[in-house]
Amino acid sequence: MSAKAFKQPPALRTFSSAFVIVWLVIAAFPFLWTLWGSFKIELDFFSKADWQNALTGARTFLEHGSPFTGDGYQGAWVQEEFWQAVINTAIVCFFTVAISLTFGTLGGYALSRSTYRYTFWLLIIALIFRAMPPITLVAGYLLPFFEWNLWGILPTTIIVLVAINQPFTLWMLHSFFQKIPKELDESAKVDGCTQFQAFRHVIIPVMWPGVITTGLFSFLLAYNDFAVTSMLLSKENQTMVPKIASFLGTTQTEGNVMFAVAAVVSATAPLFILVMFFQRQIVSGLTQGAVKG
Amino acid sequence: MKHKTFFWFILPTATAMLLFIALPIVSVVTQSLFTPHEQILKTVENCTPFNCTESTVVDLEATEKQRVEQPLGRWAGLSIYLDRGHLATTAIAEAWNTRTSLGNFVDRLGNLPFYRAMSFTLTYTFVVTPLLIVLGFVIAVAVNSLHRHLKGLVIFFSLLPMIVSPLIGSLVLFWMIDSRGVLGTGLQWLLSNPDLSLKASTELTWIMLIVYGVWHSAPFAFVVFYAGLQTLPQDTMESAMIDGATRWQQTKYVVIPHLMPLVTFVALIQLMDNFRVFEPIVGFNAEAHASSLSWFIFNDLGGETRLLSSASASSVLTIIGVAILLSPVLVRTWRDFNAKG
């Protein structure tokens, strides 16, 4: 069968191309617009007089002698100390991903290799935990954390995020390890390895694609979390997302919305780069659970 | 794998989940049954050389003693669940008995905070989920027919709305639809209504949040369906074509049935995720017109007075809601597992 038969008629082809273009504009335009606008002053970003001001930066030019200004970034990073939030986010993400993956690979491997019935129940419990909105657990954390003086610090948040991450990590790595043939580690055991040695010398060298994919999603969860980080971190330990939310409370009244705009752009930039480099892994991770049906 | 080895492998993850998910649930349920102690008051007489006055002050010592003896507070039973802030049974009974019409009853139900949050959460969940599935499917079919060099680029940009934090995504849209922003101005011009503000009316706020929800989640459906289209059986497509099926018939009788398991998968995941809708309400500053169950809990927990009992009761009710939504998935997993043996 030639590819010709699958070819679309011109009208349909035009229509579907037009649709893709419209979707691309809907998906990408808001980000480009905000990126462009973050270098303007507020009167241009929210222009009552003429929307084109946001493009040309007419008022920014009047005020700064150039259509671009870094004032928003200066205000957010230096004046409001957004850099502190960036460092906090980096710490939280790094440790959350590292610990989640360590726990998750051990657990996921065990679940994929055990043939007893309790593995099923453990996975079901993990699924139930996965479905629960994290904010419903926060009321349970606050009292003991206050009591034991654990509230507000980064390690507490990291371990909570690790725990919230576990159900998802377990499911993902479990299905990944199931695809690695059992014969591989069984033959190692025949050769006299213990289960852990088999894991260490046979499984670890071949597990990296699955671990990287899972790690990406753990990272996104920690990076994007708002419910837990905003409730469990004190003001000076805030990560980026709650910090941006706190900008809205304080700066909107002062007329410094541009700080928040600059902060939003700064927080989105790493995600852009992440998608650019790991697009293939993200797509395969999203579809992994699905294609199994 | 032996039980003992299994135990050591699973120990770290099980401990983490037990300590930070299972125990907090127990703690939330317990807290929802207690309410904070009232302060113990005492009357003291203040005498000056001229006269004596009686005043009521808080007996700090006794209050503290009571707090130490019963740290959880007073036993409240189910009363927190039934109070006006939650299930509001009395208010509902009264509204039902004094209703003038069914519409009137529903209106009065909408004034109760918990029901207001629930109605938005359910509307959001059940409107956004089907819409995003349809949109995701159409994008997947359209992208699939593109030239292969373009596909990667389109997928890159399509992933963006999904990958950014919901709070950031909603802020980006919020600034654009502000009445001074580019979309807000555009809409005012389009509808020739210079006073139009999406933030001012409840209906428009709901629509705005739903549009955001579809924008945010459609990429997920798109990527899953797109992957499904790559495994489309070519033989079946060819036979359909030879039998004279039109393009529309091919889609309806071959493509859609092939993707059906994926539709179920996307629907289940998205029902769970949309039910926890929360960040957009903060981002769009929409508390006045729409509140969700998650936002309701967040609101109780934030601020100076942390209303732990009230937040716990809402949390338990939310968890029950999730359990109801999840039950079909659990039944399905159970059946799959038994089928596999």
Side-chain angles (χ1 to χ4, degrees):
Chain A
M1 172 77 93
S2 71
K4 216 171 180 180
F6 281 112
K7 226 177 152 134
Q8 296 172 326
L12 187 66
R13 202 177 172 76
T14 324
F15 176 76
S16 92
S17 305
F19 183 82
V20 171
I21 291 169
V22 171
W23 162 248
L24 276 184
V25 170
I26 295 174
F29 175 67
F31 297 106
L32 298 175
W33 178 263
T34 313
L35 172 68
W36 184 261
S38 68
F39 293 101
K40 304 276 178 281
I41 61 168
E42 193 182 340
L43 281 174
D44 276 334
F45 189 65
F46 294 114
S47 182
K48 213 162 180 60
D50 185 358
W51 67 269
Q52 285 178 349
N53 279 354
L55 285 179
T56 57
R59 302 234 181 195
T60 318
F61 191 79
L62 285 180
E63 202 166 297
H64 294 277
S66 144
F68 298 102
T69 167
D71 273 9
Y73 291 90
Q74 164 98 18
W77 281 74
V78 181
Q79 193 183 324
E80 298 283 334
E81 300 191 329
F82 191 66
W83 58 270
Q84 184 67 54
V86 175
I87 295 174
N88 290 336
T89 306
I91 297 173
V92 168
C93 288
F94 176 77
F95 285 104
T96 307
V97 172
I99 303 173
S100 296
L101 288 180
T102 315
F103 287 10
T105 38
L106 290 173
Y109 175 68
L111 287 173
S112 72
R113 290 300 183 262
S114 175
T115 43
Y116 293 105
R117 202 165 179 78
Y118 51 71
T119 55
F120 168 75
W121 291 109
L122 282 170
L123 283 170
I124 284 288
I125 292 170
L127 183 68
I128 297 172
F129 286 168
R130 154 80 177 79
M132 287 199 320
I135 187 97
T136 55
L137 300 172
V138 172
Y141 297 140
L142 287 177
L143 220 48
F145 286 180
F146 279 134
E147 196 72 10
W148 299 326
N149 257 334
L150 293 173
W151 186 85
I153 52 174
L154 293 176
T156 320
T157 307
I158 291 171
I159 194 74
V160 166
L161 285 176
V162 166
I164 290 180
N165 240 332
Q166 277 310 300
F168 173 77
T169 317
L170 272 185
W171 265 91
M172 199 126 165
L173 285 170
H174 164 250
S175 62
F176 174 75
F177 280 125
Q178 274 194 324
K179 275 186 272 171
I180 298 180
K182 275 185 184 154
E183 289 76 24
L184 222 58
D185 36 330
E186 250 145 47
S187 58
K189 275 162 79 180
V190 171
D191 290 348
C193 281
T194 63
Q195 186 83 45
F196 187 78
Q197 282 170 329
F199 175 71
R200 168 76 189 75
H201 296 292
V202 179
I203 299 299
I204 286 187
V206 297
M207 73 179 184
W208 293 109
V211 170
I212 289 173
T213 309
T214 316
L216 278 171
F217 284 89
S218 299
F219 171 81
L220 285 176
L221 190 136
Y223 191 89
N224 289 343
D225 181 84
F226 174 60
V228 172
T229 48
S230 71
M231 298 302 328
L232 291 188
L233 286 173
S234 60
K235 215 168 166 46
E236 55 275 18
N237 282 336
Q238 267 172 345
T239 52
M240 284 199 257
V241 178
K243 182 82 178 174
I244 291 170
S246 75
F247 277 176
L248 300 178
T250 54
T251 53
Q252 215 143 27
T253 42
E254 290 167 26
N256 272 331
V257 151
M258 296 320 288
F259 292 1
V261 177
V264 158
V265 173
S266 316
T268 319
L271 293 176
F272 263 67
I273 297 166
L274 190 83
V275 181
M276 221 181 273
F277 282 103
F278 293 105
Q279 181 173 335
R280 188 189 301 272
Q281 281 83 354
I282 293 175
V283 170
S284 81
L286 285 175
T287 50
Q288 199 175 50
V291 178
K292 264 179 62 208
Chain B
M1 191 184 268
K2 287 195 200 93
H3 292 303
K4 208 178 144 197
T5 333
F6 181 81
F7 173 78
W8 287 113
F9 268 96
I10 204 87
L11 186 67
T13 171
T15 319
M17 287 200 286
L18 189 72
L19 284 181
F20 293 99
I21 302 183
L23 280 185
I25 297 176
V26 177
S27 151
V28 163
V29 174
T30 326
Q31 280 181 51
S32 69
L33 300 174
F34 288 90
T35 177
H37 290 293
E38 277 168 7
Q39 289 170 325
I40 298 173
L41 302 177
K42 64 178 177 188
T43 320
V44 285
E45 211 175 357
N46 288 323
C47 285
T48 58
F50 307 106
N51 60 341
C52 279
T53 52
E54 278 196 348
S55 61
T56 317
V57 296
V58 178
D59 186 344
L60 289 175
E61 208 174 297
T63 311
E64 183 57 28
K65 186 162 168 272
Q66 192 184 32
R67 206 187 63 80
V68 172
E69 274 167 11
Q70 293 167 295
L72 281 170
R74 278 182 295 135
W75 169 257
L78 288 178
S79 66
I80 301 172
Y81 288 95
L82 304 179
D83 71 7
R84 212 189 122 77
H86 298 95
L87 292 176
T89 35
T90 347
I92 289 187
E94 196 207 299
W96 181 253
N97 290 331
T98 57
R99 72 188 186 279
T100 45
S101 64
L102 201 63
N104 172 268
F105 174 69
V106 173
D107 274 354
R108 287 169 69 172
L109 213 59
N111 288 331
L112 296 164
F114 182 78
Y115 290 94
R116 211 167 70 93
M118 191 149 80
S119 69
F120 176 74
T121 311
L122 290 177
T123 314
Y124 181 87
T125 310
F126 288 101
V127 173
V128 167
T129 311
L131 284 181
L132 77 89
I133 288 175
V134 172
L135 181 64
F137 175 73
V138 178
I139 301 171
V141 171
V143 170
N144 199 33
S145 66
L146 283 179
H147 191 268
R148 66 190 164 83
H149 290 306
L150 286 172
K151 283 177 182 170
L153 194 72
V154 175
I155 293 175
F156 170 74
F157 283 109
S158 303
L159 284 175
L160 293 177
M162 178 189 69
I163 232 93
V164 297
S165 329
L167 186 79
I168 289 178
S170 50
L171 277 174
V172 166
L173 289 195
F174 178 63
W175 289 326
M176 288 175 78
I177 56 100
D178 187 278
S179 59
R180 296 162 300 161
V182 61
L183 285 185
T185 322
L187 280 177
Q188 284 170 357
W189 174 79
L190 207 64
L191 304 171
S192 43
N193 176 2
D195 299 322
L196 182 80
S197 167
L198 290 171
K199 289 182 265 177
S201 98
T202 303
E203 288 83 13
L204 289 176
T205 308
W206 282 38
I207 292 174
M208 189 170 77
L209 287 167
I210 286 169
V211 168
Y212 162 78
V214 175
W215 179 74
H216 175 68
S217 310
F220 173 69
F222 153 60
V223 169
V224 172
F225 294 151
Y226 177 76
L229 286 177
Q230 308 311 309
T231 61
L232 199 64
Q234 291 301 312
D235 310 356
T236 325
M237 280 299 267
E238 280 172 26
S239 346
M241 212 177 294
I242 292 165
D243 290 348
T246 61
R247 201 160 274 280
W248 166 243
Q249 283 169 329
Q250 288 166 27
T251 310
K252 189 175 166 193
Y253 295 109
V254 182
V255 179
I256 292 183
H258 175 72
L259 292 183
M260 219 46 206
L262 300 185
V263 172
T264 337
F265 166 78
V266 173
L268 293 173
I269 295 276
Q270 287 299 324
L271 282 178
M272 290 197 293
D273 284 356
N274 289 330
F275 192 74
R276 56 172 82 165
V277 51
F278 162 52
E279 285 102 331
I281 295 179
V282 179
F284 280 101
N285 207 358
E287 298 89 278
H289 298 290
S291 75
S292 71
L293 291 172
S294 293
W295 186 84
F296 195 61
I297 301 169
F298 179 78
N299 192 38
D300 273 349
L301 287 174
E304 289 293 300
T305 53
R306 295 181 185 265
L307 304 169
L308 287 182
S309 303
S310 167
S312 304
S314 318
S315 298
V316 173
L317 291 170
T318 309
I319 293 175
I320 294 173
V322 171
I324 295 172
L325 269 184
L326 195 66
S327 49
V329 192
L330 293 181
V331 172
R332 203 172 80 110
T333 320
W334 170 247
R335 245 190 268 136
D336 281 2
F337 184 80
N338 279 340
K340 260 190 277 174

